[in-house]
Amino acid sequence: MRKFALMLSVFILMASLVFAQVRNVTGKVTDDKGLAVAGAAIQAKGTKIGTVSSTDGTFTLTIPTSVKTLIISAVNAESTEVGVAGNLTITLKPVTGSLSEVVVVAYGQLKKTNITGSVTTVKAADIEDKPFTSVDKALQGTVAGLQSTSSSGAPGANTDIRIRGIGSITAGASPLWVIDGAIATTGDLSTQTTTANALSSLNPDDIESISVLKDAASTSIYGSRGANGVIIVTTKRAKAGKSAINFTAEDGANTLAFKPSNKPLNSIQSQTLLRESLINAGYATDNASADAVITDPVNGLGIPAGYTNTNTNWLDVVTRTGNQAQYNLSISGGDPKTQFYASAGSFNQLGTTIASDFRRYNGNISITHKASDKLTFSAGLNGSTSDQNTPLNTGNFGNPILAQFFLLPWYTPYNKDGSLRYNDADGEFPLGGGIYNPVVQAAYNKYNLKQTVIRGNVLGEYKILNNLKFTSRYSGEYFDVSEDMYLNPFYGDGYGTQGYGSSAYKRVFDWTWSNFADYKQNLNKDKDFYFDLKVGYEAYQQKVYQLSATGQAFPGTLALQYLASAATPVGAYSVVAGNTTNSLFSVADVNYKDKYVLSGSFRRDGSSVFGVNHRWANFYSVGGTWNMNEENFLKGNKTISLLKLRTSYGINGNQAIGNYTALPTFGFGYNYTGQPGSALNNVGNPDLTWELNAIFNTGVDFGLFKNRLYGTLEWYSRNTSKLLLSVPLSQTAGAPGNSQNRNIGAMTNKGVEITLGGKPIVTKSFSWDVSFNFSHNVNKVTQLYLNAPVSNGVFNITVGHDIQEFYMRQWAGVNPADGTPLWYTDGTHTKTTGSLASAKLSLSGKSASPKYFGSFTNTFNYKGFSLQVQFFYNFGNYVDNLWGSYTSSEGLYLGSFNQLTSELTAWQKPGDKTNVPQVIFGGNNNSQRASTRFLYKGDYIRLRNAELSYSIPKTVLKKARINNIMVYVRGTNLLTFGTDKNIPFDPEAGVTSSGDLNVYIPKTVTGGIKIGL
């Protein structure tokens, strides 16, 4: 017995000694936003002991007491080491430049290791809570090679996106958008609104990530739609873990982003110039006699005698300090079997120009359910409704921006009693024509668009084998767009018809059904040599229904504005349209030890939009990458942490040519003797096919000093052939317009892209991050029908030249001897002439496309404070003032329309050197006619975004059970500099770089708070 007791005591002592040599460590792993990280690897340093975090980020690990350090790592996060303690809270920082990062690509995700093409990812933090009505506006400056520009600053306005230049003459040149697997309908769906944007229906706060695909290796899998690049949008999805609630509230104000120095004259300046022009023309000898001519109602201009005492700044009249607010609420959570995400939000913006505003309300819900180890289902539904008011633009009399430039400063918008001024006996604001009081127009007229959009998707994924799974995904969109226009019967454009109204309705439904199998096969025992193959089928259909009606002669009240009140119907119109595409596709990757990767894709598309002889076409790509940093001679290198070489080549297409361009069609409305009649309105072409795009891309990705310095350098050549052009036919053919559409042109886009980033300073409490991107593209037309130029407005598309090279008379300045205008006789600039008739229209050598653009961003973090400053730059293009002939007319329109202050620098005496001819009432030898005189340098640098934020320490929030609180103040378009001193409007003027009297781009300053529970 004593022996047994002794043995038991020894056993207990040994056991206690063993247990005394181990300990339990608990903790929680979160990301930089305080959200739980599931599946993070926690390893005891120097051992093989480890575990992974659960769905709520927590973990428990038993380790020897000798272990003093834990290593924590996770996908898309930087690995970190922490000292052992009782209860740890570990925050992982997002990875920068790591090849382990997972990127969303076509039909799935890839590690950066496997990517052979050009793909740039924009994450949620870069686009959420931005004060923009649509996500495309937030992309400006974020991606090298992507040009994002707006010609209008109206709330809800459309945005032009071009990726690596312009790749078509008459077909679409915008990239393909794919939203949660659905081939999305984008662009301007309105028919009578100045501008609207289908993407404004999507709340940027609901977006998880955006992948921009730029080369053939990444876009050719989309076949006939991939020529202009692809933008893949992934909305936020359910995640396992403790339920999380996030709320954001933001409020602020809008003003004008840019106020030019060359602006409309004030009253004193305008009077001075008018008197000068009358004296120079011989209508007066001095200022007193000039005033007599000005005020004479019979033999003079008939301007009211009191004009000298009035000065109206029409810019102040038609613009205002707008306001905007947005609120977003989301909740997410679930267990390993079922996860959910739901959100709701609102966005309201009052524009900086009168009669412009935008309101959106949206909701989003998604759920993912793992029915078994093999079967997973997910579904999502995203909906929004918006209400937008936008004034007219361009030369319409109801355009407030036109009124701001054209209205004379001695006219006033209000009567002495404060009432709106119109119907004046002196004709100050004419009833039947001319420029009307914009305040009355804004108050009495209506240009309204309402848009309701629903996007939904369902997905099923079945794991047939451990290395084989099948996915079926159905995604759809439904757009309901209604527009109402009303021109009042009392004043302005509607006066002559006793009021005018128009209503339009458009319904768009599209769906994408994708079915594909994904097979992964290891080729060696170590499982580091494998291939991944996807094979699938996809169907797409879009249907459009459109209806419009107009009427006039409305009752004499502003209370009845819909067509039901119109006494005289004017017209009605309805039409249906649609297109379908069927596709077979495959994509494969072969990976050897993460060193060498070969990729390929193939797609066969059949589309209803092309001729019966060429309805199907094949598209492909090949690519390769060498991850040099995985080689033994670079592994462990203290300087080079990432070095990746890649190249690709492929063919894709452009089918954005119109639904029925290939078909011979008849149109109705050609009535005869009161009977309905039809006539051929398109000759058709059974051989019409895709515009082809061949892209070669090569690039290098690098990271130095543990990715403290990283970047990407790329060069591409994009050759587009079979461009769709209208070819003239013999007049005896009887074809409409004596022309036929054929695939006959070609062009190239070649360029360089640079993306650089770094962390110059990283300390325990302070860090400084820098990023920079640069884009340079050269466009050249290489083939046209019979090499004959194609007229396209202010451009004349010519072989050997840029597609957007301005074509006009070449301005040579002012003759210093007599103040008369001079032009060059032709594009050689060798001879000048004072005769407009002798000045030939010619190519100017100046393009609307920028030579280079990009951004420069600095982010500073100090403890809980963060400051981010982003500058966007654009250089090398020219902007055309389409209305310069009216506002810089050297006396032709003086007394009728206001002029710009540049007219004050007009020639005065022999020897003067100036670019403005002598001001003579009635004009100076056609000096105001369109020429390169009205081209301005489009160069500018803009403080695009600046944000200062503060995150309250977690130790303060812990007792209140709040995960995070961040307060911030943000500004967009805060400063604009480096511009042409003579440009009279914002230099950001859309892809075509044309100043067309659009609503001004706003500067926005907002403050907000983000709360996470």
Side-chain angles (χ1 to χ4, degrees):
M1 190 70 178
R2 291 179 59 188
K3 186 176 180 180
F4 174 77
L6 180 61
M7 291 177 64
L8 180 62
S9 298
V10 172
F11 176 79
I12 293 172
L13 178 61
M14 292 177 65
S16 64
L17 289 173
V18 171
F19 282 109
Q21 293 176 1
V22 297
R23 63 180 298 186
N24 289 331
V25 178
T26 60
K28 183 177 182 179
V29 183
T30 65
D31 62 16
D32 60 334
K33 296 182 179 179
L35 301 177
V37 177
I42 299 95
Q43 183 179 358
K45 189 173 183 179
T47 75
K48 294 184 178 181
I49 301 171
T51 186
V52 294
S53 60
S54 61
T55 55
D56 62 355
T58 61
F59 68 89
T60 299
L61 182 64
T62 301
I63 60 173
T65 55
S66 59
V67 174
K68 305 299 182 184
T69 305
L70 300 180
I71 302 172
I72 297 89
S73 60
V75 175
N76 295 341
E78 294 181 1
S79 297
T80 187
E81 296 185 6
V82 297
V84 173
N87 190 17
L88 297 168
T89 299
I90 302 159
T91 301
L92 296 180
K93 295 180 180 180
V95 74
T96 301
S98 172
L99 288 178
S100 65
E101 184 177 352
V102 175
V103 176
V104 176
V105 293
Y107 306 104
Q109 297 179 333
L110 280 178
K111 288 198 309 180
K112 275 193 172 181
T113 308
N114 287 28
I115 293 177
T116 61
S118 181
V119 181
T120 301
T121 299
V122 181
K123 297 183 179 179
D126 298 319
I127 52 179
E128 62 187 8
D129 305 321
K130 294 292 192 296
F132 303 122
T133 55
S134 57
V135 63
D136 46 3
K137 298 183 188 302
L139 291 178
Q140 187 180 80
T142 61
V143 178
L146 185 150
Q147 181 188 10
S148 172
T149 181
S150 299
S151 58
S152 173
N158 196 30
T159 298
D160 295 320
I161 299 283
R162 298 293 182 268
I163 296 176
R164 293 184 166 179
I166 299 172
S168 184
I169 295 176
T170 59
S174 299
L176 173 72
W177 287 74
V178 179
I179 302 176
D180 288 335
I183 295 172
T185 297
T186 58
D188 189 347
L189 297 181
S190 68
T191 56
Q192 60 188 31
T193 303
T194 300
T195 177
N197 191 343
L199 285 172
S200 67
S201 61
L202 183 64
N203 181 8
D205 206 65
D206 281 333
I207 295 175
E208 180 69 28
S209 69
I210 294 176
S211 293
V212 179
L213 317 183
K214 297 184 284 187
D215 74 326
S218 56
T219 64
S220 289
I221 189 61
Y222 288 102
S224 60
R225 294 185 177 90
N228 297 312
V230 181
I231 300 176
I232 300 177
V233 177
T234 303
T235 60
K236 291 179 179 177
R237 292 289 177 177
K239 294 180 180 179
K242 183 181 177 181
S243 294
I245 299 174
N246 290 281
F247 174 71
T248 302
E250 180 179 290
D251 206 332
N254 305 310
T255 55
L256 300 188
F258 180 72
K259 291 186 177 181
S261 57
N262 190 14
K263 54 190 176 182
L265 299 168
N266 63 32
S267 190
I268 297 299
Q269 292 169 333
S270 187
Q271 293 166 33
T272 301
L273 200 65
L274 182 55
R275 295 188 188 102
E276 179 184 326
S277 71
L278 289 168
I279 295 171
N280 289 338
Y283 292 109
T285 56
D286 53 26
N287 288 339
S289 59
D291 275 334
V293 175
I294 291 171
T295 57
D296 189 332
V298 178
N299 299 314
L301 303 182
I303 294 173
Y307 79 103
T308 56
N309 302 319
T310 304
N311 181 47
T312 300
N313 185 333
W314 286 103
L315 176 64
D316 291 342
V317 172
V318 304
T319 61
R320 62 194 175 191
T321 298
N323 58 66
Q324 72 175 56
Q326 61 173 321
Y327 305 93
N328 292 292
L329 175 67
S330 69
I331 181 170
S332 63
D335 54 33
K337 198 174 186 66
T338 305
Q339 304 93 42
F340 69 92
Y341 175 87
S343 70
S346 69
F347 184 100
N348 298 308
Q349 185 179 73
L350 184 70
T352 58
T353 301
I354 56 177
S356 67
D357 56 75
F358 177 87
R359 293 172 296 281
R360 179 185 63 222
Y361 304 94
N362 60 271
N364 183 39
I365 187 168
S366 69
I367 187 168
T368 301
H369 177 67
K370 189 174 183 179
S372 68
D373 291 338
K374 291 189 174 183
L375 184 61
T376 302
F377 293 102
S378 69
L381 188 66
N382 183 297
S384 72
T385 181
S386 59
D387 192 327
Q388 174 182 340
N389 290 296
T390 307
L392 292 173
N393 71 334
T394 190
N396 292 292
F397 291 140
N399 178 6
I401 305 302
L402 178 141
Q404 178 250 314
F405 277 100
F406 282 29
L407 277 174
L408 294 167
W410 49 78
Y411 293 160
T412 58
Y414 299 99
N415 294 310
K416 293 181 179 180
D417 61 2
S419 60
L420 290 173
R421 190 169 191 175
Y422 70 102
N423 199 20
D424 289 341
D426 59 16
E428 180 176 330
F429 293 110
L431 292 174
I435 310 301
Y436 300 102
N437 186 345
V439 182
V440 177
Q441 298 273 66
Y444 291 178
N445 295 341
K446 176 175 68 176
Y447 300 92
N448 177 259
L449 178 141
K450 291 181 173 63
Q451 180 174 256
T452 299
V453 182
I454 297 174
R455 295 183 176 92
N457 60 86
V458 291
L459 179 145
E461 185 178 278
Y462 184 71
K463 194 174 184 180
I464 302 171
L465 301 170
N466 288 336
N467 61 344
L468 176 63
K469 66 180 179 180
F470 176 77
T471 302
S472 182
R473 178 176 61 204
Y474 181 89
S475 305
E477 298 180 310
Y478 176 81
F479 287 81
D480 186 287
V481 182
S482 61
E483 300 172 81
D484 289 293
M485 178 182 70
Y486 171 76
L487 303 178
N488 77 87
F490 308 112
Y491 181 76
D493 294 319
Y495 176 78
T497 57
Q498 296 181 301
Y500 181 87
S502 176
S503 293
Y505 173 76
K506 181 178 287 187
R507 182 175 64 237
V508 180
F509 175 61
D510 65 73
W511 56 262
T512 306
W513 189 16
S514 307
N515 297 274
F516 55 93
D518 190 342
Y519 177 65
K520 182 177 180 180
Q521 178 61 52
N522 292 310
L523 300 176
N524 65 354
K525 292 182 179 180
D526 294 334
K527 298 182 180 181
D528 57 5
F529 183 23
Y530 63 88
F531 72 83
D532 194 341
L533 172 67
K534 288 187 179 74
V535 177
Y537 166 80
E538 185 171 83
Y540 168 83
Q541 184 181 74
Q542 182 193 65
K543 291 184 176 180
V544 180
Y545 172 76
Q546 188 173 330
L547 173 69
S548 64
T550 56
Q552 59 190 35
F554 279 75
T557 174
L558 295 176
L560 300 173
Q561 298 185 355
Y562 289 95
L563 285 179
S565 303
T568 307
V570 176
Y573 172 82
S574 68
V575 67
V576 295
N579 67 83
T580 61
T581 304
N582 284 329
S583 309
L584 298 170
F585 65 88
S586 64
V587 58
D589 302 299
V590 180
N591 184 308
Y592 179 67
K593 293 187 175 183
D594 282 347
K595 294 180 184 179
Y596 317 111
V597 181
L598 292 176
S599 72
S601 69
F602 175 82
R603 186 175 181 118
R604 181 168 174 80
D605 273 349
S607 174
S608 65
V609 305
F610 292 100
V612 293
N613 296 340
H614 296 282
R615 187 138 292 173
W616 290 84
N618 301 323
F619 307 93
Y620 67 89
S621 73
V622 292
T625 188
W626 178 19
N627 296 309
M628 295 179 64
N629 54 286
E630 294 295 328
E631 297 286 359
N632 291 332
F633 62 81
L634 280 181
K635 271 192 172 182
N637 188 289
K638 294 183 179 180
T639 302
I640 301 174
S641 47
L642 168 65
L643 184 59
K644 175 180 178 177
L645 306 180
R646 51 185 167 81
T647 189
S648 66
Y649 177 80
I651 300 289
N652 49 36
N654 183 5
Q655 66 161 336
I657 68 166
N659 291 329
Y660 308 111
T661 304
L663 298 177
T665 56
F666 280 76
F668 285 81
Y670 302 92
N671 303 331
Y672 183 70
T673 66
Q675 299 299 313
S678 67
L680 186 69
N681 61 7
N682 182 43
V683 70
N685 184 353
D687 292 319
L688 207 63
T689 187
W690 285 272
E691 296 187 343
L692 283 181
N693 198 54
I695 308 176
F696 175 77
N697 187 89
T698 186
V700 56
D701 305 313
F702 66 88
L704 306 176
F705 314 110
K706 294 184 179 181
N707 290 329
R708 287 283 296 272
L709 176 63
Y710 57 90
T712 295
L713 307 176
E714 289 191 273
W715 180 85
Y716 63 86
S717 176
R718 177 185 176 194
N719 298 301
T720 307
S721 60
K722 295 187 177 181
L723 290 173
L724 184 71
L725 294 174
S726 180
V727 174
L729 299 177
S730 170
Q731 295 187 5
T732 60
N738 297 313
S739 64
Q740 182 187 46
N741 290 308
R742 296 181 186 174
N743 297 101
I744 204 155
M747 71 168 66
T748 64
N749 284 278
K750 297 181 180 180
V752 175
E753 296 168 2
I754 301 173
T755 301
L756 298 174
K759 298 175 179 290
I761 300 177
V762 179
T763 66
K764 185 176 181 180
S765 58
F766 177 78
S767 66
W768 173 24
D769 291 73
V770 179
S771 64
F772 168 82
N773 65 66
F774 169 90
S775 304
H776 170 64
N777 182 78
V778 177
N779 174 278
K780 182 182 290 187
V781 178
T782 57
Q783 180 185 349
L784 296 171
Y785 178 68
L786 299 179
N787 284 335
V790 176
S791 178
N792 185 22
V794 294
F795 310 122
N796 204 45
I797 302 169
T798 305
V799 171
H801 292 262
D802 187 301
I803 188 177
Q804 290 201 136
E805 186 174 343
F806 288 103
Y807 180 75
M808 51 186 59
R809 295 178 182 89
Q810 308 295 298
W811 179 253
V814 177
N815 188 334
D818 57 10
T820 57
L822 292 174
W823 297 269
Y824 290 106
T825 55
D826 54 34
T828 63
H829 290 196
T830 54
K831 295 181 179 179
T832 62
T833 178
S835 170
L836 184 75
S838 300
K840 295 181 180 179
L841 294 170
S842 57
L843 291 167
S844 64
K846 300 175 179 179
S847 174
S849 300
K851 290 183 179 178
Y852 47 93
F853 61 90
S855 68
F856 177 60
T857 305
N858 286 273
T859 303
F860 305 94
N861 293 289
Y862 177 71
K863 295 185 177 180
F865 290 94
S866 179
L867 173 64
Q868 184 182 80
V869 180
Q870 181 196 58
F871 290 91
F872 176 78
Y873 63 89
N874 180 99
F875 288 95
N877 66 305
Y878 285 79
V879 181
D880 183 26
N881 183 4
L882 296 178
W883 300 93
S885 295
Y886 293 88
T887 55
S888 299
S889 68
E890 284 74 69
L892 181 62
Y893 295 110
L894 264 172
S896 299
F897 303 143
N898 202 4
Q899 304 290 286
L900 293 173
T901 52
S902 56
E903 291 289 278
L904 298 175
T905 64
W907 184 93
Q908 300 287 330
K909 62 184 185 304
D912 283 351
K913 293 182 178 180
T914 178
N915 198 49
V916 181
Q918 184 183 32
V919 177
I920 303 172
F921 190 82
N924 186 343
N925 198 26
N926 291 307
S927 64
Q928 86 294 341
R929 294 288 294 274
S931 71
T932 56
R933 173 190 176 188
F934 299 114
L935 292 182
Y936 304 98
K937 289 183 178 180
D939 304 346
Y940 70 96
I941 301 173
R942 176 164 276 166
L943 179 52
R944 177 64 171 172
N945 185 62
E947 178 182 335
L948 176 64
S949 65
Y950 176 69
S951 296
I952 297 176
K954 295 183 184 298
T955 53
V956 177
L957 302 175
K958 188 174 182 180
K959 293 182 180 180
R961 297 184 178 180
I962 298 174
N963 289 329
N964 57 78
I965 293 180
M966 185 181 80
V967 292
Y968 64 87
V969 60
R970 172 187 291 128
T972 60
N973 301 329
L974 292 176
L975 296 171
T976 305
F977 48 92
T979 61
D980 189 323
K981 66 178 182 179
N982 290 315
I983 193 168
F985 42 73
D986 197 299
E988 183 178 343
V991 167
T992 59
S993 294
S994 297
D996 203 10
L997 304 176
N998 286 296
V999 171
Y1000 296 111
I1001 291 173
K1003 171 174 66 178
T1004 305
V1005 178
T1006 58
I1009 184 170
K1010 300 179 71 172
I1011 303 174
L1013 303 176

